[in-house]
Amino acid sequence: MSDSFGCVVLAAGKGTRLKLKDPKPLVPLMGRRLVDYSIESLKKFMDANSSKGAVSLVIGHEKEKVQAHAEESAKKFDVQISFSVQEKQLGTAHALKCYFEQNSDAAGYEYTVIMCADTPLISSDVLIELFSALKKDSLDGVAATFETVDPTGLGRIIRSDKEGFKITEHKDANSEELLIKEVNSGMYIVKTSYILEHLSNIKSENAAGEFYLTDLFQEGSKVKPCLFEDENTFLGVNDLEQLERIEVLLRRRKKIELRNSGVRFIDSRHVYVDEDVQIGEGSTLYPNATLYGNSIIGKDCVLETGVIIKNSEVQDGTTIKAYSSLEESFVGKEAAIGPYARLRPKANIGSYSKIGNFVEIKKSDLKEGVKVSHLSYVGDAEIGEDSNIGCGFITCNYDGAKKHKTIIGKGCFIGSDSQMIAPVTLGDECYVASGSTINQDIPSGGFGIARGRQSTKEGMAKRFIKKK
Ligand code: UD1
Ligand code: MG
């Protein structure tokens, strides 16, 4: 039978030092929220053990907001989630007590995995390694530890010649203990039966007057520290400097993953890619390409310098040229967008299309092979296959109160400097003369012209040309 895990994330604290408006578990990071990283790692850890289990958050500060987000996150990562409330933050052991008191399933899991919500670099691999250390020596509990040059504020690992070890908090450490560089990460895997036996004996007689979870680990018990080499793994988000450092490391990790899967960076130091962005093999990213949220980029795409893509999809073989911005948009395959194009939400650009410089498109469907090559605004429109829109085209979609639609059929040719006063519909293969302001429908095959007739007066120019 596979092992079962109750996974607890301690997330009741306030995170005051961050000075951000969001509660700490909801700090935005890489297009996600901080707590999502712990939820994802725990889910992957359980999957790796093909085990039954659930994630449970201990919440307190701004609990409604944290719970609402974590419920969404659990759906995304397909994991069962529950919550317990710690009204007053009386310490980490008290937080765990709240978990056991408020979750009827908690005592039934063979092991309890405990981590904090603010250590996003802890991957499932670290959890797997920690668990195998416990299994190897048939222990009751393990704590992940690391060595650091500056252990200020962290719990010191007091190893013993006999079985067991203990952790002394910085505030309680004597001068000798303060010199110890091996510290507690705050991540533990412990047999649930062991916790239930010892948790209620933990007292708050210490410098902080808090119930320390670290007091679970005692000399004479079957518990061990498990030393990890890379201290960065356990970096926690406590202030803005740490948050920035962690973000740099997470971004680097994401780019390594992408490079390993065949994405080329011209200079990856200046490319920003959020955690959940997908990019296909053979695509190339130039400096300052920035990809946010749930964007999906196909294979063999080129994203040139300064491109910004938010929650959009770009299909195989498409080039997004320099300084173009896409938001909640879709671009089909082998299209060319930009330079300096702006696709606003619900711009839907068909395959083989061409959108050129200084073109803005909003809430419009452009079918395959449409060309809007220069200086245009397309809003609330539908444009049929292979239509060509000349330079300086404008859909006049807004009458001051409502938005109206412009519909242009297949294979049309719209001359430069034309405006469509919506609502207006053009059939297939229409031709609109340059400089026309169209406010009436044109049937398929029709020609539309709406501009003042030209008159030419020979020799009259000198009346108007001014000389200094
Ligand atoms: C804790 C450890 C310390 C370790 C350090 C690593 C204890 C006593 N000490 O200290 O050995 O080196 O983490 O970062 O555990 N929380 C609650 N309820 C509470 C208190 C805390 O939910 O009543 C949550 C916090 O939101 C946070 C986590 O538990 O996510 C850790 O709490 P924190 O106050 O940061 O503990 P440290 O003093 O850093
Ligand atoms: Mg801390």
Side-chain angles (χ1 to χ4, degrees), residues 40-51:
E40 185 190 33
S41 295
L42 290 166
K43 162 68 177 170
K44 284 188 173 166
F45 167 70
M46 287 191 279
D47 282 355
N49 284 288
S50 25
S51 76

Side-chain angles (χ1 to χ4, degrees), residues 297-324:
I297 311 298
K299 291 182 188 170
D300 304 316
C301 291
V302 177
L303 309 182
E304 291 186 357
T305 300
V307 159
I308 298 173
I309 300 182
K310 288 185 185 160
N311 297 317
S312 297
E313 182 176 349
V314 174
Q315 293 195 328
D316 298 354
T318 283
T319 296
I320 312 289
K321 296 185 190 172
Y323 304 108
S324 295

Side-chain angles (χ1 to χ4, degrees), residues 10-13 86 89-92 95 116-117 154-155 169 184-185 212 214:
L10 305 183
Q86 185 192 27
Q89 275 91 69
L90 303 177
T92 42
C116 301
L154 298 168
E169 289 307 303
N184 172 29
S185 72
Y212 291 162
T214 43

